[in-house]
Protein backbone atom coordinates (compact mmCIF):
# COMPACT_ATOMS: atom_id res chain seq x y z
CA UNK A 1 0.00 0.00 0.00
CA UNK A 2 2.84 2.41 0.81
CA UNK A 3 1.09 4.25 3.64
CA UNK A 4 4.14 6.49 4.10
CA UNK A 5 3.69 7.75 0.54
CA UNK A 6 0.26 9.06 1.53
CA UNK A 7 1.66 10.73 4.67
CA UNK A 8 1.41 14.26 3.18
CA UNK A 9 -2.34 13.73 2.84
CA UNK A 10 -2.71 13.85 6.61
CA UNK A 11 -2.58 17.62 6.06
CA UNK A 12 -6.03 19.15 5.54
CA UNK A 13 -4.35 22.20 3.99
CA UNK A 14 -2.52 20.12 1.38
CA UNK A 15 -5.70 18.20 0.51
CA UNK A 16 -7.64 21.45 0.13
CA UNK A 17 -4.99 22.96 -2.14
CA UNK A 18 -4.90 19.77 -4.19
CA UNK A 19 -8.62 19.49 -4.90
CA UNK A 20 -9.27 23.22 -5.28
CA UNK A 21 -7.19 23.09 -8.48
CA UNK A 22 -10.02 21.16 -10.15
CA UNK A 23 -12.54 23.64 -11.56
CA UNK A 24 -15.40 21.13 -11.27
CA UNK A 25 -14.68 20.51 -7.56
CA UNK A 26 -13.75 24.06 -6.50
CA UNK A 27 -17.34 25.45 -6.23
CA UNK A 28 -18.13 22.88 -3.52
CA UNK A 29 -15.16 23.70 -1.25
CA UNK A 30 -15.84 26.16 1.60
CA UNK A 31 -13.37 29.04 1.82
CA UNK A 32 -10.40 27.71 3.81
CA UNK A 33 -7.40 29.72 5.06
CA UNK A 34 -4.48 29.33 7.44
CA UNK A 35 -5.19 30.38 11.02
CA UNK A 36 -3.91 33.86 11.81
CA UNK A 37 -5.39 37.07 13.19
CA UNK A 38 -6.02 38.73 9.81
CA UNK A 39 -7.72 35.69 8.29
CA UNK A 40 -9.83 35.09 11.41
CA UNK A 41 -11.06 38.68 11.49
CA UNK A 42 -11.89 38.86 7.78
CA UNK A 43 -13.54 35.43 7.60
CA UNK A 44 -15.67 35.75 10.73
CA UNK A 45 -16.78 39.22 9.53
CA UNK A 46 -17.67 37.83 6.11
CA UNK A 47 -19.35 34.55 7.10
CA UNK A 48 -20.49 35.10 10.70
CA UNK A 49 -19.49 31.52 11.56
CA UNK A 50 -16.27 29.63 10.92
CA UNK A 51 -14.68 26.38 12.07
CA UNK A 52 -11.13 26.48 13.40
CA UNK A 53 -9.63 23.05 12.97
CA UNK A 54 -6.21 21.43 13.37
CA UNK A 55 -4.38 20.98 10.08
CA UNK A 56 -3.63 17.41 11.13
CA UNK A 57 -6.15 15.57 13.23
CA UNK A 58 -8.80 12.87 13.24
CA UNK A 59 -12.23 12.12 14.73
CA UNK A 60 -13.12 15.83 14.91
CA UNK A 61 -10.74 16.32 17.85
CA UNK A 62 -9.69 19.91 18.47
CA UNK A 63 -12.34 21.42 16.18
CA UNK A 64 -13.64 24.79 17.34
CA UNK A 65 -16.81 26.54 16.18
CA UNK A 66 -16.41 30.34 16.23
CA UNK A 67 -19.17 32.90 15.69
CA UNK A 68 -19.70 36.65 15.57
CA UNK A 69 -23.10 37.23 17.14
CA UNK A 70 -22.97 41.03 16.82
CA UNK A 71 -20.32 43.56 15.82
CA UNK A 72 -18.48 43.29 19.15
CA UNK A 73 -19.81 40.01 20.48
CA UNK A 74 -17.91 36.79 19.75
CA UNK A 75 -18.42 33.19 20.83
CA UNK A 76 -16.53 29.95 20.40
CA UNK A 77 -17.30 26.36 21.35
CA UNK A 78 -15.03 23.34 21.69
CA UNK A 79 -16.50 20.02 22.80
CA UNK A 80 -19.32 21.17 25.14
CA UNK A 81 -17.49 24.26 26.41
CA UNK A 82 -18.84 27.59 25.13
CA UNK A 83 -17.15 30.95 25.80
CA UNK A 84 -18.36 34.50 25.06
CA UNK A 85 -16.25 37.62 24.50
CA UNK A 86 -17.00 41.33 24.29
CA UNK A 87 -14.19 42.17 21.87
CA UNK A 88 -12.41 40.59 18.93
CA UNK A 89 -9.06 41.00 20.72
CA UNK A 90 -10.07 38.97 23.78
CA UNK A 91 -11.75 36.40 21.52
CA UNK A 92 -8.65 36.06 19.32
CA UNK A 93 -6.25 35.92 22.29
CA UNK A 94 -8.24 33.14 23.96
CA UNK A 95 -8.48 31.15 20.71
CA UNK A 96 -4.75 31.56 20.09
CA UNK A 97 -3.93 30.21 23.54
CA UNK A 98 -6.08 27.20 22.70
CA UNK A 99 -4.37 26.70 19.33
CA UNK A 100 -1.02 27.01 21.14
CA UNK A 101 1.31 27.48 18.12
CA UNK A 102 0.02 24.37 16.36
CA UNK A 103 -0.97 24.63 12.70
CA UNK A 104 -4.69 25.33 12.42
CA UNK A 105 -7.02 26.22 9.56
CA UNK A 106 -10.11 28.42 9.38
CA UNK A 107 -12.98 27.10 7.27
CA UNK A 108 -16.18 28.89 6.35
CA UNK A 109 -18.99 27.53 8.52
CA UNK A 110 -21.84 25.78 6.75
CA UNK A 111 -25.24 25.86 8.44
CA UNK A 112 -25.98 22.16 8.19
CA UNK A 113 -29.38 20.56 7.84
CA UNK A 114 -30.86 19.18 11.05
CA UNK A 115 -32.80 16.09 12.08
CA UNK A 116 -34.64 16.27 15.41
CA UNK A 117 -32.80 19.55 16.06
CA UNK A 118 -29.39 17.87 15.65
CA UNK A 119 -26.97 18.72 12.85
CA UNK A 120 -25.96 16.03 10.42
CA UNK A 121 -23.51 15.54 7.59
CA UNK A 122 -22.79 12.71 5.17
CA UNK A 123 -19.86 10.34 4.63
CA UNK A 124 -19.37 9.00 1.11
CA UNK A 125 -17.06 6.00 0.76
CA UNK A 126 -15.10 5.76 -2.49
CA UNK A 127 -12.99 2.64 -3.07
CA UNK A 128 -10.90 1.12 -5.79
CA UNK A 129 -12.64 -2.06 -6.89
CA UNK A 130 -10.80 -5.38 -7.35
CA UNK A 131 -10.83 -4.53 -11.08
CA UNK A 132 -9.11 -1.17 -10.32
CA UNK A 133 -12.10 1.10 -10.98
CA UNK A 134 -13.25 3.76 -8.57
CA UNK A 135 -16.68 3.05 -7.11
CA UNK A 136 -18.97 4.80 -4.65
CA UNK A 137 -19.50 1.86 -2.30
CA UNK A 138 -21.23 3.46 0.67
CA UNK A 139 -23.07 6.57 1.84
CA UNK A 140 -24.17 7.18 5.41
CA UNK A 141 -25.50 10.05 7.49
CA UNK A 142 -23.81 11.15 10.70
CA UNK A 143 -26.15 12.74 13.23
CA UNK A 144 -24.24 14.94 15.65
CA UNK A 145 -24.44 14.70 19.44
CA UNK A 146 -26.98 17.35 20.57
CA UNK A 147 -24.40 19.25 22.65
CA UNK A 148 -21.38 18.93 20.36
CA UNK A 149 -20.30 20.70 17.18
CA UNK A 150 -18.88 17.71 15.30
CA UNK A 151 -20.76 14.71 13.92
CA UNK A 152 -18.04 12.06 14.17
CA UNK A 153 -19.02 8.65 15.52
CA UNK A 154 -16.02 8.80 17.88
CA UNK A 155 -17.37 12.09 19.30
CA UNK A 156 -20.84 10.78 20.07
CA UNK A 157 -22.36 11.07 16.60
CA UNK A 158 -24.93 8.52 15.43
CA UNK A 159 -24.53 6.81 12.02
CA UNK A 160 -27.89 6.73 10.26
CA UNK A 161 -29.56 5.91 6.97
CA UNK A 162 -29.27 8.99 4.78
CA UNK A 163 -32.85 8.75 3.50
CA UNK A 164 -34.18 8.86 7.06
CA UNK A 165 -32.18 12.03 7.77
CA UNK A 166 -33.23 13.71 4.52
CA UNK A 167 -36.88 12.67 4.58
CA UNK A 168 -38.16 15.95 6.04
CA UNK A 169 -35.97 18.02 3.70
CA UNK A 170 -36.47 16.45 0.28
CA UNK A 171 -38.80 14.21 -1.73
CA UNK A 172 -37.80 10.63 -2.55
CA UNK A 173 -36.86 11.73 -6.08
CA UNK A 174 -34.74 14.63 -4.83
CA UNK A 175 -33.06 12.42 -2.21
CA UNK A 176 -32.03 9.94 -4.90
CA UNK A 177 -30.72 12.80 -7.03
CA UNK A 178 -28.71 14.14 -4.09
CA UNK A 179 -27.13 10.73 -3.44
CA UNK A 180 -26.14 10.56 -7.10
CA UNK A 181 -24.71 14.10 -7.01
CA UNK A 182 -22.67 13.41 -3.87
CA UNK A 183 -21.39 10.10 -5.25
CA UNK A 184 -20.32 11.74 -8.52
CA UNK A 185 -18.62 14.64 -6.73
CA UNK A 186 -16.74 12.21 -4.47
CA UNK A 187 -15.68 10.04 -7.43
CA UNK A 188 -14.35 13.16 -9.14
CA UNK A 189 -12.28 13.95 -6.04
CA UNK A 190 -10.83 10.41 -5.92
CA UNK A 191 -9.83 10.48 -9.60
CA UNK A 192 -8.26 13.91 -9.23
CA UNK A 193 -6.25 12.97 -6.12
CA UNK A 194 -5.05 9.67 -7.56
CA UNK A 195 -3.29 11.49 -10.42
CA UNK A 196 -0.82 12.88 -7.87
CA UNK A 197 -1.02 10.01 -5.35
CA UNK A 198 -1.20 6.77 -7.36
CA UNK A 199 -1.07 4.66 -4.18
CA UNK A 200 -4.48 5.98 -3.11
CA UNK A 201 -6.95 3.10 -2.71
CA UNK A 202 -9.89 4.72 -0.92
CA UNK A 203 -11.22 8.03 0.34
CA UNK A 204 -14.04 9.05 2.65
CA UNK A 205 -15.60 12.38 1.70
CA UNK A 206 -17.45 14.28 4.41
CA UNK A 207 -20.19 16.41 2.87
CA UNK A 208 -22.46 18.95 4.50
CA UNK A 209 -25.75 20.03 2.95
CA UNK A 210 -26.92 23.59 3.49
CA UNK A 211 -30.55 24.71 3.50
CA UNK A 212 -30.63 24.99 -0.30
CA UNK A 213 -29.41 21.34 -0.41
CA UNK A 214 -26.07 22.37 -1.90
CA UNK A 215 -23.32 19.87 -1.02
CA UNK A 216 -20.16 21.29 0.60
CA UNK A 217 -16.95 19.28 0.97
CA UNK A 218 -16.09 19.51 4.65
CA UNK A 219 -13.14 17.13 4.54
CA UNK A 220 -11.52 14.33 2.56
CA UNK A 221 -10.12 11.37 4.53
CA UNK A 222 -7.56 9.00 3.02
CA UNK A 223 -7.96 6.45 5.84
CA UNK A 224 -11.74 6.32 6.30
CA UNK A 225 -13.21 3.86 8.80
CA UNK A 226 -15.04 1.13 6.84
CA UNK A 227 -16.71 -0.26 9.96
CA UNK A 228 -19.06 2.73 10.41
CA UNK A 229 -21.30 1.14 7.75
CA UNK A 230 -21.88 -1.82 10.05
CA UNK A 231 -24.07 0.51 12.13
CA UNK A 232 -26.78 0.41 9.45
CA UNK A 233 -29.57 -2.15 9.80
CA UNK A 234 -29.24 -3.12 6.13
CA UNK A 235 -25.80 -4.74 5.79
CA UNK A 236 -25.65 -4.63 1.96
CA UNK A 237 -23.43 -1.53 1.88
CA UNK A 238 -21.23 -2.77 4.70
CA UNK A 239 -20.59 -6.10 3.01
CA UNK A 240 -19.42 -4.41 -0.19
CA UNK A 241 -17.27 -1.83 1.62
CA UNK A 242 -15.57 -4.57 3.65
CA UNK A 243 -15.08 -6.81 0.61
CA UNK A 244 -13.28 -4.02 -1.25
CA UNK A 245 -11.38 -3.00 1.87
CA UNK A 246 -10.08 -6.54 2.44
CA UNK A 247 -9.05 -6.79 -1.18
CA UNK A 248 -7.09 -3.51 -0.95
CA UNK A 249 -5.62 -4.11 2.52
CA UNK A 250 -5.43 -7.87 3.13
CA UNK A 251 -3.17 -7.47 6.17
CA UNK A 252 -5.38 -4.88 7.90
CA UNK A 253 -8.53 -6.88 8.38
CA UNK A 254 -9.81 -7.41 11.91
Amino acid sequence: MGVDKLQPLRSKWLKTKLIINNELIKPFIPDTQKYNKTNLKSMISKYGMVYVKPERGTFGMGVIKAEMESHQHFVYQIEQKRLTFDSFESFYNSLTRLVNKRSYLIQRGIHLLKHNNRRFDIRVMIQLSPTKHWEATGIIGRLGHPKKIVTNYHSGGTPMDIHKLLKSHASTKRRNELVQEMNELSLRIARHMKKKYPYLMQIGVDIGLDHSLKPWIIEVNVKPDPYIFNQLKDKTMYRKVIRYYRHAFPKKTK
Side-chain angles (χ1 to χ4, degrees):
M1 161 58 184
V3 171
D4 290 340
K5 294 176 182 178
L6 292 178
Q7 192 73 4
L9 289 176
R10 288 182 62 203
S11 162
K12 296 179 177 71
W13 181 241
L14 189 148
K15 284 182 282 191
T16 300
K17 288 200 297 180
L18 177 61
I19 63 174
I20 211 165
N21 285 330
N22 185 302
E23 290 302 315
L24 295 173
I25 300 170
K26 187 177 180 178
F28 302 96
I29 302 171
D31 186 6
T32 306
Q33 307 290 337
K34 287 273 196 177
Y35 178 85
N36 60 44
K37 189 175 186 178
T38 303
N39 288 343
L40 180 65
K41 192 164 193 175
S42 66
M43 288 181 71
I44 205 160
S45 298
K46 185 174 183 179
Y47 302 118
M49 177 181 74
V50 297
Y51 283 89
V52 179
K53 50 174 68 175
E55 183 182 342
R56 294 169 184 265
T58 55
F59 307 141
M61 292 168 64
V63 175
I64 305 158
K65 181 184 181 183
E67 297 174 273
M68 182 171 73
E69 294 192 334
S70 66
H71 187 59
Q72 291 296 329
H73 193 70
F74 300 87
V75 175
Y76 75 73
Q77 181 178 341
I78 181 167
E79 294 285 343
Q80 297 184 45
K81 184 180 179 183
R82 184 176 165 91
L83 297 174
T84 304
F85 303 87
D86 293 329
S87 71
F88 177 79
E89 287 297 321
S90 58
F91 166 74
Y92 167 72
N93 289 337
S94 180
L95 259 180
T96 302
R97 282 194 295 273
L98 205 58
V99 167
N100 191 26
K101 297 181 181 177
R102 290 166 294 175
S103 182
Y104 266 65
L105 304 177
I106 310 167
Q107 186 180 74
R108 172 186 175 178
I110 305 302
H111 292 279
L112 298 176
L113 294 183
K114 292 183 178 180
H115 174 76
N116 292 339
N117 212 32
R118 292 162 64 182
R119 295 179 201 87
F120 68 87
D121 63 12
I122 293 134
R123 161 65 60 88
V124 181
M125 189 77 163
I126 305 293
Q127 294 172 287
L128 212 55
S129 74
T131 55
K132 304 297 181 195
H133 292 95
W134 285 115
E135 284 186 33
T137 51
I139 187 165
I140 193 170
R142 305 187 306 175
L143 186 64
H145 184 283
K147 294 182 179 178
K148 293 190 178 180
I149 57 170
V150 295
T151 59
N152 303 66
Y153 179 53
H154 298 272
S155 299
T158 307
M160 283 183 66
D161 180 275
I162 184 173
H163 288 277
K164 186 172 182 180
L165 292 176
L166 287 172
K167 191 172 184 179
S168 63
H169 300 284
S171 66
T172 303
K173 181 175 181 288
R174 185 69 186 109
R175 293 200 302 271
N176 289 329
E177 289 170 352
L178 275 170
V179 169
Q180 186 67 22
E181 287 169 29
M182 290 187 283
N183 283 344
E184 287 175 3
L185 176 60
S186 302
L187 283 164
R188 190 171 287 141
I189 293 167
R191 293 184 189 114
H192 180 74
M193 291 178 70
K194 195 169 176 70
K195 289 175 189 172
K196 182 158 186 180
Y197 295 93
Y199 295 92
L200 199 62
M201 304 286 280
Q202 60 177 8
I203 61 169
V205 183
D206 295 339
I207 294 176
L209 294 172
D210 66 18
H211 293 278
S212 68
L213 299 181
K214 176 179 174 174
W216 291 93
I217 301 159
I218 296 170
E219 196 170 321
V220 179
N221 300 274
V222 295
K223 294 174 73 177
D225 178 9
Y227 297 97
I228 187 176
F229 293 93
N230 196 28
Q231 301 295 316
L232 295 174
K233 189 178 286 186
D234 184 343
K235 304 298 179 186
T236 311
M237 243 182 245
Y238 173 67
R239 284 194 289 267
K240 185 170 188 178
V241 166
I242 287 298
R243 190 169 79 249
Y244 282 24
Y245 180 74
R246 286 176 176 161
H247 187 271
F249 310 110
K251 293 179 182 176
K252 288 193 173 186
T253 54
K254 290 185 178 180

